[in-house]
Coordinates of all heavy atoms in Angstrom, one line a residue:
Y1 N 0.8 -1.2 0.0 CA 0.0 0.0 0.0 C 0.9 1.3 0.0 O 0.6 2.2 -0.7 CB -0.9 0.0 1.2 CG -1.7 1.2 1.4 CD1 -2.8 1.5 0.6 CD2 -1.4 2.2 2.3 CE1 -3.6 2.6 0.7 CE2 -2.1 3.3 2.5 CZ -3.2 3.6 1.7 OH -3.9 4.7 1.8
R2 N 1.9 1.3 0.8 CA 2.7 2.5 0.9 C 3.5 2.7 -0.3 O 3.7 3.9 -0.7 CB 3.7 2.4 2.1 CG 2.9 2.5 3.4 CD 3.9 2.5 4.6 NE 3.1 2.6 5.8 CZ 3.5 2.4 7.0 NH1 4.8 2.1 7.2 NH2 2.8 2.6 8.0
V3 N 3.9 1.7 -1.0 CA 4.7 1.8 -2.2 C 3.7 2.4 -3.3 O 4.1 3.4 -4.0 CB 5.2 0.5 -2.7 CG1 5.8 0.6 -4.1 CG2 6.2 -0.1 -1.7
R4 N 2.5 1.9 -3.4 CA 1.6 2.5 -4.3 C 1.3 3.9 -4.0 O 1.1 4.7 -5.0 CB 0.3 1.7 -4.3 CG 0.5 0.2 -4.9 CD -0.7 -0.5 -5.0 NE -1.3 -0.1 -6.2 CZ -2.6 -0.3 -6.5 NH1 -3.4 -0.8 -5.7 NH2 -3.0 0.1 -7.7
Q5 N 1.2 4.3 -2.8 CA 1.0 5.7 -2.4 C 2.1 6.6 -2.9 O 1.8 7.7 -3.3 CB 0.9 5.8 -0.8 CG -0.4 5.3 -0.3 CD -1.6 6.2 -0.7 OE1 -2.3 5.8 -1.7 NE2 -1.8 7.2 0.0
R6 N 3.3 6.1 -2.9 CA 4.4 6.9 -3.4 C 4.3 7.3 -4.8 O 4.6 8.3 -5.3 CB 5.8 6.2 -3.2 CG 6.3 6.4 -1.8 CD 7.7 5.9 -1.7 NE 7.7 4.4 -1.6 CZ 8.7 3.7 -1.6 NH1 9.9 4.2 -1.8 NH2 8.6 2.4 -1.4
V7 N 3.7 6.3 -5.6 CA 3.5 6.5 -7.0 C 2.3 7.3 -7.3 O 2.3 8.3 -8.0 CB 3.5 5.2 -7.8 CG1 3.1 5.3 -9.2 CG2 4.8 4.4 -7.6
F8 N 1.2 6.9 -6.7 CA -0.1 7.5 -7.0 C -0.3 9.0 -6.5 O -1.1 9.7 -7.1 CB -1.3 6.7 -6.5 CG -1.4 5.4 -7.3 CD1 -1.6 4.2 -6.7 CD2 -1.4 5.4 -8.7 CE1 -1.8 3.0 -7.4 CE2 -1.5 4.3 -9.4 CZ -1.7 3.1 -8.8
R9 N 0.5 9.4 -5.5 CA 0.3 10.8 -5.1 C 0.8 11.7 -6.2 O 0.3 12.9 -6.3 CB 1.1 11.0 -3.8 CG 2.6 11.1 -3.9 CD 3.2 11.3 -2.6 NE 4.6 11.5 -2.7 CZ 5.3 12.4 -2.0 NH1 4.7 13.2 -1.1 NH2 6.6 12.5 -2.2
W10 N 1.7 11.3 -7.1 CA 2.1 12.1 -8.2 C 1.1 12.2 -9.3 O 1.1 13.1 -10.1 CB 3.5 11.7 -8.7 CG 4.5 11.8 -7.6 CD1 5.1 10.8 -6.9 CD2 5.0 13.0 -7.1 NE1 5.9 11.4 -5.9 CE2 5.9 12.7 -6.0 CE3 4.8 14.4 -7.4 CZ2 6.6 13.7 -5.3 CZ3 5.5 15.4 -6.6 CH2 6.3 15.0 -5.6
Y11 N 0.2 11.2 -9.3 CA -0.9 11.3 -10.3 C -1.8 12.5 -10.0 O -2.3 13.1 -11.0 CB -1.7 10.0 -10.3 CG -1.3 9.0 -11.3 CD1 -0.6 7.9 -10.9 CD2 -1.5 9.2 -12.7 CE1 -0.2 6.9 -11.8 CE2 -1.1 8.2 -13.6 CZ -0.4 7.1 -13.1 OH 0.0 6.2 -14.0
A12 N -2.0 12.9 -8.8 CA -2.8 14.1 -8.5 C -2.1 15.3 -9.1 O -2.8 16.2 -9.6 CB -2.9 14.2 -7.0
R13 N -0.8 15.4 -9.0 CA -0.1 16.6 -9.6 C -0.3 16.5 -11.1 O -0.5 17.6 -11.7 CB 1.3 16.6 -9.2 CG 2.0 17.8 -9.6 CD 3.3 18.0 -8.9 NE 4.1 19.0 -9.5 CZ 5.4 19.2 -9.4 NH1 6.1 18.3 -8.6 NH2 6.0 20.1 -9.9
L14 N -0.1 15.4 -11.7 CA -0.3 15.3 -13.1 C -1.7 15.7 -13.6 O -1.9 16.4 -14.6 CB 0.0 13.8 -13.6 CG -0.2 13.6 -15.1 CD1 0.7 14.4 -15.9 CD2 0.1 12.1 -15.4
R15 N -2.7 15.3 -12.8 CA -4.1 15.6 -13.1 C -4.3 17.1 -13.0 O -5.0 17.7 -13.9 CB -5.0 15.0 -12.1 CG -6.5 15.2 -12.5 CD -7.5 14.5 -11.6 NE -7.0 13.2 -11.1 CZ -7.3 12.7 -9.9 NH1 -8.1 13.4 -9.1 NH2 -6.9 11.5 -9.6
E16 N -3.6 17.8 -12.1 CA -3.7 19.3 -12.0 C -3.1 19.9 -13.3 O -3.7 20.9 -13.8 CB -3.0 19.8 -10.8 CG -3.6 19.4 -9.4 CD -2.7 19.8 -8.3 OE1 -1.7 20.4 -8.5 OE2 -3.1 19.4 -7.1
V17 N -2.0 19.4 -13.7 CA -1.4 20.0 -14.9 C -2.4 19.8 -16.1 O -2.6 20.7 -16.9 CB 0.0 19.3 -15.2 CG1 0.5 19.7 -16.6 CG2 1.0 19.7 -14.1
E18 N -3.0 18.6 -16.2 CA -3.9 18.3 -17.3 C -5.1 19.2 -17.3 O -5.5 19.7 -18.3 CB -4.3 16.8 -17.3 CG -3.2 15.9 -17.7 CD -3.6 14.4 -17.6 OE1 -4.5 14.1 -16.8 OE2 -3.1 13.6 -18.4
E19 N -5.6 19.4 -16.1 CA -6.8 20.3 -16.0 C -6.5 21.7 -16.4 O -7.2 22.4 -17.1 CB -7.3 20.3 -14.5 CG -8.0 19.0 -14.2 CD -8.3 18.9 -12.7 OE1 -8.0 19.8 -11.9 OE2 -9.0 17.9 -12.3
R20 N -5.3 22.2 -16.0 CA -4.9 23.6 -16.4 C -4.6 23.6 -17.9 O -4.8 24.6 -18.5 CB -3.7 24.0 -15.6 CG -4.2 24.2 -14.1 CD -3.1 24.7 -13.1 NE -1.9 25.3 -13.6 CZ -0.7 24.8 -13.3 NH1 -0.6 23.8 -12.5 NH2 0.3 25.5 -13.7
M21 N -4.1 22.5 -18.4 CA -3.9 22.5 -19.9 C -5.2 22.6 -20.6 O -5.3 23.3 -21.6 CB -3.1 21.1 -20.2 CG -2.9 21.0 -21.7 SD -2.0 19.4 -22.1 CE -3.4 18.3 -21.9
E22 N -6.2 21.8 -20.2 CA -7.5 21.9 -20.8 C -8.2 23.2 -20.7 O -8.9 23.7 -21.6 CB -8.4 20.8 -20.3 CG -7.9 19.3 -20.5 CD -7.8 19.0 -22.0 OE1 -8.7 19.5 -22.8 OE2 -6.9 18.3 -22.4
A23 N -8.0 23.9 -19.5 CA -8.6 25.2 -19.3 C -7.9 26.3 -20.1 O -8.5 27.3 -20.4 CB -8.5 25.5 -17.8
R24 N -6.7 26.0 -20.6 CA -5.9 26.9 -21.4 C -5.7 28.3 -20.7 O -5.7 29.3 -21.3 CB -6.5 27.1 -22.7 CG -6.5 25.8 -23.6 CD -7.1 26.1 -24.9 NE -7.3 24.8 -25.6 CZ -6.6 24.5 -26.7 NH1 -5.9 25.4 -27.3 NH2 -6.8 23.4 -27.3
D25 N -5.5 28.2 -19.3 CA -5.4 29.5 -18.6 C -3.9 29.6 -18.0 O -3.7 30.5 -17.2 CB -6.4 29.6 -17.5 CG -6.3 28.4 -16.5 OD1 -5.5 27.5 -16.7 OD2 -7.0 28.5 -15.5
T26 N -3.1 28.7 -18.4 CA -1.7 28.7 -17.9 C -0.8 28.7 -19.1 O -1.0 27.9 -20.1 CB -1.4 27.5 -17.0 OG1 -2.3 27.5 -16.0 CG2 0.0 27.6 -16.4
P27 N 0.3 29.5 -19.2 CA 1.2 29.5 -20.3 C 1.8 28.1 -20.5 O 2.1 27.4 -19.6 CB 2.3 30.4 -19.9 CG 1.7 31.3 -18.9 CD 0.7 30.5 -18.2
L28 N 1.9 27.7 -21.8 CA 2.3 26.3 -22.1 C 3.7 26.1 -21.6 O 4.0 25.0 -21.2 CB 2.3 26.1 -23.6 CG 0.9 26.2 -24.3 CD1 0.9 26.1 -25.8 CD2 0.0 25.1 -23.7
T29 N 4.6 27.1 -21.6 CA 5.9 26.9 -21.2 C 6.0 26.6 -19.7 O 6.8 25.8 -19.2 CB 6.8 28.2 -21.4 OG1 6.1 29.3 -20.8 CG2 7.0 28.4 -22.9
E30 N 5.0 27.2 -18.9 CA 5.0 26.9 -17.5 C 4.5 25.4 -17.3 O 5.0 24.7 -16.4 CB 4.0 27.8 -16.8 CG 3.9 27.7 -15.3 CD 3.0 28.7 -14.7 OE1 2.9 29.8 -15.1 OE2 2.3 28.3 -13.7
L31 N 3.5 25.0 -18.0 CA 3.0 23.6 -17.9 C 4.1 22.6 -18.3 O 4.3 21.6 -17.7 CB 1.8 23.4 -18.8 CG 0.5 24.2 -18.3 CD1 -0.6 24.0 -19.3 CD2 0.1 23.8 -16.9
L32 N 4.9 22.9 -19.4 CA 6.0 22.0 -19.8 C 7.0 21.9 -18.7 O 7.5 20.9 -18.5 CB 6.6 22.5 -21.1 CG 5.8 22.2 -22.4 CD1 6.4 23.0 -23.6 CD2 5.8 20.7 -22.6
Q33 N 7.3 23.1 -18.1 CA 8.3 23.0 -17.0 C 7.8 22.2 -15.8 O 8.5 21.4 -15.2 CB 8.6 24.5 -16.5 CG 9.6 24.5 -15.4 CD 11.0 24.0 -15.9 OE1 11.5 24.3 -16.9 NE2 11.6 23.0 -15.1
E34 N 6.5 22.3 -15.5 CA 5.9 21.5 -14.4 C 6.0 20.0 -14.8 O 6.3 19.1 -13.9 CB 4.5 21.9 -14.2 CG 4.4 23.2 -13.4 CD 3.0 23.5 -13.0 OE1 2.3 22.6 -12.5 OE2 2.6 24.7 -13.2
L35 N 5.8 19.6 -16.0 CA 5.9 18.2 -16.5 C 7.3 17.8 -16.4 O 7.6 16.6 -15.9 CB 5.4 18.1 -17.9 CG 3.8 18.1 -18.1 CD1 3.5 18.0 -19.5 CD2 3.2 17.0 -17.3
D36 N 8.2 18.6 -16.8 CA 9.7 18.3 -16.6 C 10.1 18.0 -15.2 O 10.7 17.1 -14.9 CB 10.6 19.4 -17.2 CG 10.5 19.4 -18.8 OD1 10.0 18.5 -19.4 OD2 10.9 20.4 -19.3
D37 N 9.6 18.9 -14.3 CA 9.9 18.8 -12.9 C 9.3 17.5 -12.3 O 9.9 16.8 -11.6 CB 9.3 20.0 -12.1 CG 10.1 21.3 -12.4 OD1 11.2 21.2 -13.0 OD2 9.5 22.4 -12.1
L38 N 8.0 17.2 -12.7 CA 7.3 16.0 -12.3 C 8.1 14.8 -12.7 O 8.3 13.9 -12.0 CB 5.9 16.0 -12.8 CG 5.0 14.9 -12.4 CD1 4.9 14.7 -10.9 CD2 3.6 15.0 -13.0
D39 N 8.5 14.8 -14.0 CA 9.2 13.7 -14.6 C 10.5 13.4 -13.8 O 10.9 12.3 -13.6 CB 9.4 13.9 -16.0 CG 9.9 12.6 -16.8 OD1 9.5 11.5 -16.3 OD2 10.6 12.7 -17.8
D40 N 11.2 14.5 -13.5 CA 12.5 14.4 -12.7 C 12.2 13.8 -11.4 O 13.0 12.9 -11.0 CB 13.1 15.8 -12.6 CG 14.5 15.7 -12.0 OD1 15.3 15.0 -12.5 OD2 14.7 16.5 -11.0
V41 N 11.2 14.3 -10.7 CA 10.9 13.7 -9.3 C 10.6 12.2 -9.4 O 11.1 11.4 -8.7 CB 9.8 14.5 -8.7 CG1 9.3 13.8 -7.4 CG2 10.2 15.9 -8.3
V42 N 9.7 11.9 -10.4 CA 9.3 10.5 -10.5 C 10.4 9.6 -10.9 O 10.5 8.5 -10.5 CB 8.1 10.4 -11.6 CG1 7.8 9.0 -11.9 CG2 6.9 11.1 -11.0
S43 N 11.3 10.1 -11.7 CA 12.5 9.3 -12.1 C 13.4 8.9 -11.0 O 14.2 8.0 -11.1 CB 13.3 10.0 -13.3 OG 14.0 11.1 -12.8
H44 N 13.3 9.6 -9.9 CA 14.1 9.3 -8.7 C 13.4 8.6 -7.6 O 13.9 8.3 -6.5 CB 14.7 10.6 -8.2 CG 15.7 11.2 -9.1 ND1 15.4 12.2 -10.0 CD2 17.0 11.0 -9.3 CE1 16.4 12.5 -10.7 NE2 17.5 11.8 -10.3
I45 N 12.1 8.2 -7.9 CA 11.4 7.4 -6.9 C 11.9 6.0 -6.9 O 12.0 5.4 -8.0 CB 9.9 7.4 -7.2 CG1 9.3 8.8 -7.0 CG2 9.1 6.4 -6.3 CD1 7.8 8.9 -7.5
S46 N 12.2 5.4 -5.7 CA 12.7 4.1 -5.6 C 11.5 3.2 -5.2 O 10.9 3.4 -4.2 CB 13.8 4.0 -4.6 OG 14.2 2.7 -4.5
V47 N 11.2 2.2 -6.0 CA 10.2 1.2 -5.6 C 10.7 -0.2 -5.9 O 11.6 -0.4 -6.7 CB 8.9 1.4 -6.5 CG1 8.3 2.8 -6.2 CG2 9.2 1.2 -8.0
P48 N 10.1 -1.1 -5.1 CA 10.5 -2.5 -5.4 C 10.2 -3.0 -6.8 O 9.2 -2.4 -7.4 CB 9.7 -3.3 -4.4 CG 9.3 -2.3 -3.3 CD 9.2 -1.0 -4.0
L49 N 10.9 -3.9 -7.3 CA 10.7 -4.4 -8.7 C 9.2 -4.8 -8.9 O 8.7 -4.6 -10.0 CB 11.6 -5.5 -9.0 CG 11.7 -6.0 -10.4 CD1 12.1 -4.8 -11.3 CD2 12.8 -7.1 -10.6
A50 N 8.6 -5.3 -7.9 CA 7.2 -5.8 -8.1 C 6.2 -4.6 -8.4 O 5.2 -4.8 -9.0 CB 6.7 -6.5 -6.8
H51 N 6.6 -3.4 -8.1 CA 5.8 -2.2 -8.3 C 6.4 -1.3 -9.4 O 5.8 -0.2 -9.7 CB 5.6 -1.4 -7.1 CG 4.9 -2.2 -6.0 ND1 3.5 -2.2 -6.0 CD2 5.3 -2.9 -5.0 CE1 3.2 -3.0 -4.9 NE2 4.2 -3.4 -4.3
A52 N 7.4 -1.7 -10.1 CA 8.0 -0.9 -11.1 C 7.1 -0.6 -12.3 O 7.1 0.5 -12.9 CB 9.3 -1.6 -11.7
D53 N 6.1 -1.5 -12.6 CA 5.2 -1.3 -13.7 C 4.3 -0.1 -13.4 O 4.0 0.7 -14.3 CB 4.3 -2.5 -13.9 CG 3.5 -2.9 -12.7 OD1 3.9 -2.7 -11.6 OD2 2.4 -3.4 -13.0
E54 N 4.0 0.2 -12.2 CA 3.2 1.4 -11.8 C 4.0 2.6 -12.1 O 3.4 3.6 -12.5 CB 2.7 1.3 -10.4 CG 1.7 0.1 -10.2 CD 1.4 -0.2 -8.7 OE1 2.0 0.5 -7.8 OE2 0.6 -1.1 -8.4
L55 N 5.2 2.6 -11.7 CA 6.1 3.7 -11.9 C 6.3 4.0 -13.4 O 6.2 5.2 -13.9 CB 7.4 3.5 -11.2 CG 8.4 4.7 -11.2 CD1 7.8 5.8 -10.3 CD2 9.7 4.3 -10.5
Y56 N 6.5 3.0 -14.2 CA 6.7 3.1 -15.6 C 5.4 3.6 -16.3 O 5.5 4.4 -17.2 CB 7.2 1.8 -16.3 CG 8.6 1.5 -16.0 CD1 8.9 0.3 -15.4 CD2 9.6 2.4 -16.3 CE1 10.2 0.0 -15.1 CE2 10.9 2.1 -16.0 CZ 11.2 0.9 -15.4 OH 12.5 0.6 -15.1
T57 N 4.3 3.2 -15.8 CA 3.0 3.7 -16.3 C 2.8 5.2 -16.0 O 2.4 5.9 -16.9 CB 1.8 2.9 -15.7 OG1 2.0 1.5 -16.1 CG2 0.5 3.4 -16.3
L58 N 3.2 5.6 -14.9 CA 3.1 7.0 -14.5 C 4.0 7.8 -15.4 O 3.6 8.8 -16.0 CB 3.5 7.2 -13.1 CG 3.6 8.7 -12.6 CD1 2.3 9.5 -12.9 CD2 4.1 8.7 -11.2
R59 N 5.2 7.4 -15.7 CA 6.1 8.1 -16.5 C 5.6 8.1 -18.0 O 5.7 9.1 -18.7 CB 7.5 7.5 -16.5 CG 8.1 7.7 -15.1 CD 9.6 7.3 -15.0 NE 10.3 8.4 -15.7 CZ 11.6 8.2 -16.1 NH1 12.2 7.1 -15.9 NH2 12.2 9.2 -16.7
S60 N 5.0 7.0 -18.4 CA 4.3 7.0 -19.7 C 3.2 8.0 -19.8 O 3.1 8.7 -20.8 CB 3.8 5.6 -20.0 OG 3.1 5.6 -21.2
H61 N 2.4 8.2 -18.7 CA 1.3 9.1 -18.7 C 1.9 10.6 -18.7 O 1.3 11.4 -19.4 CB 0.4 8.9 -17.5 CG -0.4 7.7 -17.7 ND1 -0.8 6.9 -16.6 CD2 -1.0 7.1 -18.8 CE1 -1.6 5.9 -17.0 NE2 -1.6 6.0 -18.3
I62 N 3.0 10.8 -18.1 CA 3.6 12.1 -18.1 C 4.0 12.4 -19.5 O 3.8 13.5 -20.0 CB 4.8 12.2 -17.1 CG1 4.3 12.1 -15.7 CG2 5.6 13.5 -17.4 CD1 5.4 11.9 -14.7
E63 N 4.6 11.5 -20.2 CA 5.1 11.7 -21.6 C 3.9 11.9 -22.5 O 3.9 12.8 -23.4 CB 5.9 10.5 -22.0 CG 6.5 10.7 -23.4 CD 7.4 12.0 -23.6 OE1 8.0 12.4 -22.6 OE2 7.4 12.6 -24.7
K64 N 2.8 11.2 -22.3 CA 1.6 11.3 -23.1 C 1.1 12.7 -23.0 O 0.7 13.4 -23.9 CB 0.6 10.3 -22.8 CG -0.6 10.3 -23.6 CD -1.6 9.2 -23.2 CE -2.8 9.3 -24.1 NZ -3.8 8.3 -23.7
T65 N 1.0 13.2 -21.7 CA 0.5 14.6 -21.5 C 1.4 15.6 -22.1 O 1.0 16.6 -22.7 CB 0.4 14.8 -19.9 OG1 -0.4 13.8 -19.4 CG2 -0.1 16.2 -19.6
R66 N 2.7 15.4 -22.0 CA 3.7 16.3 -22.7 C 3.4 16.4 -24.2 O 3.4 17.5 -24.8 CB 5.1 15.9 -22.4 CG 6.2 16.8 -23.0 CD 7.6 16.3 -22.8 NE 8.0 16.5 -21.4 CZ 8.2 15.5 -20.5 NH1 8.2 14.3 -20.9 NH2 8.6 15.8 -19.3
R67 N 3.2 15.2 -24.8 CA 2.9 15.2 -26.3 C 1.6 16.0 -26.6 O 1.6 16.7 -27.6 CB 2.9 13.8 -26.8 CG 4.3 13.2 -27.0 CD 4.1 11.9 -27.7 NE 3.3 11.0 -26.9 CZ 3.6 9.8 -26.5 NH1 4.7 9.3 -26.8 NH2 2.7 9.1 -25.7
R68 N 0.6 15.8 -25.8 CA -0.6 16.5 -26.0 C -0.4 18.0 -25.8 O -1.0 18.8 -26.6 CB -1.7 16.0 -25.0 CG -2.2 14.7 -25.3 CD -3.3 14.1 -24.4 NE -4.2 15.1 -23.8 CZ -4.5 15.1 -22.5 NH1 -4.1 14.2 -21.7 NH2 -5.3 16.1 -22.0
L69 N 0.4 18.4 -24.9 CA 0.6 19.8 -24.6 C 1.4 20.4 -25.8 O 1.1 21.5 -26.3 CB 1.4 20.0 -23.3 CG 1.7 21.4 -22.9 CD1 0.4 22.2 -22.7 CD2 2.5 21.4 -21.6
L70 N 2.4 19.7 -26.3 CA 3.1 20.2 -27.5 C 2.3 20.2 -28.7 O 2.4 21.2 -29.5 CB 4.3 19.3 -27.7 CG 5.5 19.3 -26.7 CD1 6.5 18.3 -26.9 CD2 6.1 20.7 -26.6
A71 N 1.3 19.3 -28.9 CA 0.4 19.4 -30.0 C -0.5 20.6 -29.9 O -0.8 21.2 -30.9 CB -0.4 18.1 -30.1
Q72 N -0.9 20.8 -28.7 CA -1.8 22.0 -28.4 C -1.0 23.3 -28.7 O -1.6 24.2 -29.3 CB -2.2 22.0 -26.9 CG -3.2 23.1 -26.6 CD -3.6 23.0 -25.1 OE1 -2.8 23.3 -24.3 NE2 -4.8 22.6 -24.9
A73 N 0.3 23.3 -28.4 CA 1.1 24.5 -28.7 C 1.3 24.6 -30.2 O 1.2 25.8 -30.7 CB 2.5 24.3 -28.1
A74 N 1.4 23.5 -30.9 CA 1.5 23.6 -32.4 C 0.3 24.1 -33.1 O 0.3 24.8 -34.1 CB 1.9 22.2 -32.9
E75 N -0.9 23.7 -32.5 CA -2.2 24.2 -33.0 C -2.3 25.7 -32.9 O -2.9 26.3 -33.7 CB -3.3 23.5 -32.3 CG -3.5 22.0 -32.6 CD -4.6 21.4 -31.8 OE1 -5.3 22.1 -31.0 OE2 -4.8 20.2 -31.9
G76 N -1.8 26.2 -31.7 CA -1.9 27.6 -31.5 C -0.9 28.5 -32.2 O -1.1 29.7 -32.3
A77 N 0.1 27.8 -32.8 CA 1.1 28.6 -33.5 C 0.7 28.9 -34.9 O -0.2 28.5 -35.5 CB 2.4 27.8 -33.5

């Protein structure tokens, strides 16, 4: 349970970034920086091998959000 908590608490922060991205009320550069910061923190989380899939899934979701944000930026350009 505690291991999962370490991973899932960062999903709340990712969700906040996604909500602000959808609202389009935050500069894209600021959101990209937050995603970079989040990815950096997550990349340093240590979890047992049995829970590594949850960590990799989170990092995958961060990357997917980054791609959506960059696509949104390209649309606005």
Side-chain angles (χ1 to χ4, degrees):
Y1 174 77
R2 288 185 180 167
V3 173
R4 294 184 83 200
Q5 284 294 96
R6 277 191 279 174
V7 174
F8 287 136
R9 75 181 183 140
W10 296 107
Y11 268 107
R13 188 165 169 203
L14 178 60
R15 187 179 323 150
E16 290 172 8
V17 171
E18 288 178 333
E19 288 171 356
R20 292 181 18 235
M21 179 180 75
E22 295 299 323
R24 298 178 184 244
D25 62 354
T26 305
L28 297 177
T29 54
E30 184 178 323
L31 294 173
L32 282 171
Q33 183 61 50
E34 287 186 43
L35 286 175
D36 289 344
D37 293 344
L38 181 58
D39 195 30
D40 185 53
V41 168
V42 170
S43 70
H44 292 95
I45 295 174
S46 177
V47 296
L49 191 55
H51 295 278
D53 61 327
E54 294 167 358
L55 189 63
Y56 288 123
T57 300
L58 173 57
R59 293 191 73 196
S60 175
H61 288 149
I62 292 169
E63 183 58 33
K64 183 178 179 180
T65 302
R66 181 182 288 116
R67 284 188 301 233
R68 285 179 33 221
L69 186 59
L70 291 172
Q72 189 180 68
E75 288 174 5

